[in-house]
């Protein structure tokens, strides 16, 4: 049985004190909720807040991920963070290729692929984001866009490694807009993604892979989205900054 993973992407919000408060509240919820083992929770705060969050979630099953990393082991890359640094802090996950990284920082599928290979080599569990823009959806090229992103971002990854990769389908038009994909639109895209993954590896590998939905997931739409057969939890932005809303989204994954 596949896991269902709910990850909170805090983007560039909060400070150390607010991060401690929010992570503490999520930890308290996860402790009392007695989640089944197939439901995972991950918090992805901004890099300077990782240590505080890792401290707050200790002794829980909550994973902690960075929102980005560099592909190199180390070097003259001012402002960047390596996988080794994240691991030494106690991070378990890393988001790669988020649409905001692709849009504002010009990250290509090739760049994402380099980071993914490094994350897997080093032992961080990657959450790789893909998704079409509104223009691409309206011109009917959603599937070819997703297929190119998958094939290029996941190039050179073995079937065994693929099983550890979490994918996040995040239609760009649904991110931070309040406009969520309908459960049917999400399911259609997820089933397509899983079929491409099967073609890239094999159907058993594809069936084991976690594919999250992201884009305006809220407390009141999470259950319906997560109930779709190929939707394995969510990558949650805005609603992950509210402890009560995020707790309700975690509960929707049960
Ligand atoms: P949102 O963001 O939930 O605020 O739409 C999702 C994301 O960007 O991962």
């Amino acid at each position: 049985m596949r896991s269902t993973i709910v990850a909170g992407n805090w983007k560039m919000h909060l400070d150390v004190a607010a991060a401690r408060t929010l992570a503490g509240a999520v930890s308290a919820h996860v402790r009392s909720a007695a989640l089944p083992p197939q439901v995972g929770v991950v918090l992805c705060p901004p890099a300077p807040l990782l240590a505080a969050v890792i401290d707050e979630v200790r002794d829980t099953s909550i994973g902690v991920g960075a929102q980005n990393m560099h592909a190199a082991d180390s070097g003259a890359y001012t402002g960047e963070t390596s996988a080794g640094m994240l691991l030494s802090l106690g991070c378990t996950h890393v988001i790669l290729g988020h649409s905001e990284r692709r849009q504002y920082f010009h990250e290509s599928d090739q760049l994402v692929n380099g980071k993914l290979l490094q994350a897997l080599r080093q032992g961080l569990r990657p959450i790789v984001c893909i998704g079409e823009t509104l223009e691409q959806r309206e011109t009917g090229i959603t599937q070819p866009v997703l297929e190119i992103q998958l094939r290029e971002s996941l190039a050179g990854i073995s079937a065994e490694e693929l099983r550890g990769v979490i994918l996040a389908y995040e239609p760009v038009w649904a991110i931070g807009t309040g406009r969520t994909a309908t459960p049917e639109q999400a399911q259609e895209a997820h089933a397509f993604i899983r079929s491409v993954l099967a073609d890239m590896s094999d159907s058993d590998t594809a069936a084991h892979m976690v594919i999250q939905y992201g884009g305006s997931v809220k407390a009141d739409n999470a259950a319906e989205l997560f109930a779709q057969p190929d939707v394995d939890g969510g990558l949650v932005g805005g609603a992950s900054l509210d402890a009560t809303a995020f707790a309700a989204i975690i509960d929707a994954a049960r």
Side-chain angles (χ1 to χ4, degrees):
M1 191 182 173
R2 279 198 296 275
S3 329
T4 299
I5 298 177
V6 177
N9 173 10
W10 293 1
K11 308 194 178 182
M12 196 173 74
H13 294 291
L14 310 181
D15 59 16
V16 171
R20 281 196 178 276
T21 303
L22 180 55
V26 175
S27 297
H29 180 72
V30 167
R31 278 197 193 93
S32 65
L35 296 173
Q38 73 274 13
V39 175
V41 177
V42 182
L43 296 178
C44 302
L49 311 184
L50 283 166
V53 170
I54 288 165
D55 186 43
E56 288 294 330
V57 306
R58 68 188 179 282
D59 307 326
T60 73
S61 58
I62 299 172
V64 179
Q67 298 171 12
N68 179 36
M69 56 166 247
H70 196 277
D73 288 341
S74 63
Y77 300 109
T78 301
E80 291 292 313
T81 305
S82 72
M85 292 169 193
L86 297 176
L87 283 163
S88 69
L89 268 179
C91 286
T92 49
H93 292 69
V94 62
I95 299 173
L96 298 175
H98 188 278
S99 69
E100 287 150 18
R101 302 289 321 165
R102 293 174 185 264
Q103 184 181 349
Y104 304 130
F105 304 97
H106 314 296
E107 291 199 6
S108 63
D109 290 325
Q110 289 69 26
L111 190 92
V112 173
N113 180 245
K115 294 182 180 197
L116 174 59
L117 290 164
Q118 173 72 342
L120 291 169
R121 261 194 306 269
Q122 299 284 330
L124 280 170
R125 189 159 189 203
I127 301 176
V128 178
C129 304
I130 59 169
E132 81 287 359
T133 63
L134 185 58
E135 196 191 340
Q136 290 165 335
R137 177 161 281 265
E138 285 178 345
T139 50
I141 58 168
T142 296
Q143 292 192 348
V145 166
L146 295 177
E147 179 157 6
I148 290 169
Q149 290 177 335
L150 284 169
R151 290 195 185 275
E152 299 195 347
S153 302
L154 305 181
I157 313 289
S158 69
E160 195 188 328
E161 288 170 325
L162 268 183
R163 287 176 187 243
V165 174
I166 299 167
L167 279 167
Y169 168 61
E170 299 205 303
V172 178
W173 47 271
I175 295 178
T177 59
R179 186 177 163 187
T180 319
T182 64
E184 295 72 30
Q185 284 172 323
Q187 170 55 25
E188 187 187 13
H190 283 233
F192 174 74
I193 290 165
R194 209 177 294 285
S195 73
V196 175
L197 293 169
D199 190 59
M200 291 174 66
S201 56
D202 56 80
S203 53
D204 190 56
T205 298
H208 275 86
M209 289 183 67
V210 172
I211 309 177
Q212 298 176 315
Y213 168 79
S216 299
V217 175
K218 307 286 177 212
D220 61 6
N221 61 24
E224 221 187 349
L225 287 160
F226 298 170
Q228 299 304 307
D230 285 290
V231 177
D232 310 313
L235 181 56
V236 185
S240 72
L241 295 168
D242 178 321
T244 308
F246 194 59
I249 294 169
I250 293 170
D251 290 344
R254 300 173 73 96

